[in-house]
Amino acid sequence: MSDEPRDLGELSNDVKASWQRFLDVFEPLRPELYRYCRYLTRSPWDAEDLVQDTMARGFVTLGTLFHELPNPRAWLFRVASNLWIDRARRQRLERDAIGEPAAAHPAPGHAPDERASREAAGTLVAHLSPQERAAVVLKDVFDFSLEEVAASLSTSVGAVKAALHRGRGKLVAPEADEPRAPAPGVLDAFCAAFNARDLPALTSLLLDSSITEIVGVVTEYGREPPADPRTGSFVGSLSPITTTDAGGVDARHLVGYLGGPPRCEVREHRGERLLLFWFDHDTGPAVRTVWTVETDGEHIARIRNYFFTPDVIAEICRELAVPFRTNGYRYWIHG
């Protein structure tokens, strides 16, 4: 037997194949998982981050289990709950360590605007403890039994009953989102270059240390175009959506799509400027992806392309009252 390590390319292919099999089983739970994460978090972006982290943690954890999962749904919710509770506790400890005051909360009876009232998390206060919030959501929204809630939160039925009693008594209006709008000039320049299909102008707007990401699919670093244009956040997005033997969007998501490249537009959403990308269909233009942008001066530091996050696209576009289509959760084609 050779002592040489396995070829990394072969190992990478094995991991990708295992990841695909994992998604085949758990991907049907994604819409409900997103809905749960949305109740726990303050924004669609945070919810999608928690979903991505849950799927990744679940994939790794599954490889360490030595027993069958009797209830994949409850197990996945347990992974999400543990991640969120741990994260919330760390953030609280960090705030306490630096003496940061708790955020102000609107008083009960304060009328939220119409947009806030559509929040999935709009009935839960941020000052509920992590366990209280998760317990209320699992029991009252997703109809988990007390035993299932206890298993999801790694606690006892008695502790769940106490958390439910405390949590239900603290329901008030949600926190307001914090605006984080980037410099509009950068986004205007980006849209102009994108709509002109001017790749050099687009890349010139990036920092040398920039990050461009198709959420859940690929991450690129720096301003150089990728070696494989199919995965490029810019290069691929400048072209029409395709489906080939090598990969792409599943054909069932492309019914009515006319095949042309997208048009970029800046829209404001909750105090933040987003990039919306419109594609032509036989029923008219529709948004198929949303990007968030972080800037540093007059350059772009990070872009997150939510092309393969149907739940985020649907929530944002419904709030903006714009037509939309979604692309599924992944680009791989299954025969």
Side-chain angles (χ1 to χ4, degrees), residues 1-275:
M1 182 175 178
S2 173
D3 292 331
E4 292 294 320
R6 293 184 64 195
D7 177 76
L8 288 181
E10 181 183 352
L11 179 61
S12 176
N13 289 335
D14 289 347
V15 172
K16 289 175 183 174
S18 296
W19 175 242
Q20 297 307 305
R21 293 197 298 272
F22 176 85
L23 292 178
D24 287 340
V25 174
F26 287 96
E27 197 168 80
L29 299 174
R30 280 284 295 267
E32 193 173 30
L33 177 63
Y34 175 83
R35 185 166 163 250
Y36 176 56
C37 293
R38 190 63 183 87
Y39 270 91
L40 297 179
T41 60
R42 294 185 57 201
S43 73
W45 322 115
D46 292 340
E48 184 60 32
D49 283 346
L50 183 54
V51 168
Q52 296 288 338
D53 290 346
T54 298
M55 297 292 282
R57 176 69 63 86
F59 176 63
V60 172
T61 303
L62 192 63
T64 68
L65 296 180
F66 293 92
H67 57 81
E68 294 292 326
L69 291 176
N71 188 334
R73 173 179 179 260
W75 177 75
L76 198 63
F77 273 52
R78 180 176 184 171
V79 173
S81 299
N82 289 339
L83 279 172
W84 183 74
I85 289 172
D86 288 346
R87 185 177 302 171
R89 286 172 175 165
R90 282 198 306 271
Q91 290 172 347
R92 185 179 63 211
L93 289 172
E94 290 168 358
R95 287 196 302 267
D96 292 345
I98 63 175
E100 179 181 319
H105 306 289
H110 176 76
D113 61 29
E114 181 181 356
R115 181 176 60 198
S117 70
R118 293 196 299 266
E119 284 268 0
T123 59
L124 295 174
V125 294
H127 65 248
L128 239 61
S129 76
Q131 192 172 56
E132 288 168 354
R133 191 188 302 201
V136 170
V137 173
L138 289 169
K139 186 69 179 72
D140 294 351
V141 179
F142 291 91
D143 200 28
F144 274 41
S145 68
L146 290 173
E147 291 74 17
E148 288 174 326
V149 176
S152 295
L153 301 181
S154 303
T155 189
S156 66
V157 170
V160 168
K161 289 180 179 178
L164 288 172
H165 178 73
R166 292 191 305 268
R168 287 166 175 161
K170 299 178 182 178
L171 300 183
V172 294
E175 291 183 63
D177 286 311
E178 297 177 2
R180 44 176 182 160
V186 179
L187 297 190
D188 290 340
F190 181 94
C191 279
F194 187 95
N195 292 333
R197 310 289 178 251
D198 188 343
L199 184 59
L202 283 174
T203 55
S204 71
L205 294 171
L206 300 177
L207 291 174
D208 289 336
S209 58
S210 65
I211 300 172
T212 53
E213 177 184 2
I214 302 176
V215 175
V217 176
V218 64
T219 301
E220 300 156 4
Y221 300 92
R223 62 169 64 186
E224 292 300 318
D228 185 349
R230 292 174 304 177
T231 64
S233 296
F234 289 154
V235 179
S237 298
L238 287 167
S239 304
I241 304 171
T242 59
T243 300
T244 69
D245 292 338
V249 176
D250 195 301
R252 71 179 184 274
H253 298 298
L254 298 180
V255 175
Y257 170 54
L258 298 181
R263 175 180 60 84
C264 179
E265 176 191 11
V266 180
R267 283 287 185 103
E268 185 165 322
H269 174 263
R270 299 172 180 257
E272 179 179 9
R273 291 182 177 86
L274 307 177
L275 296 178

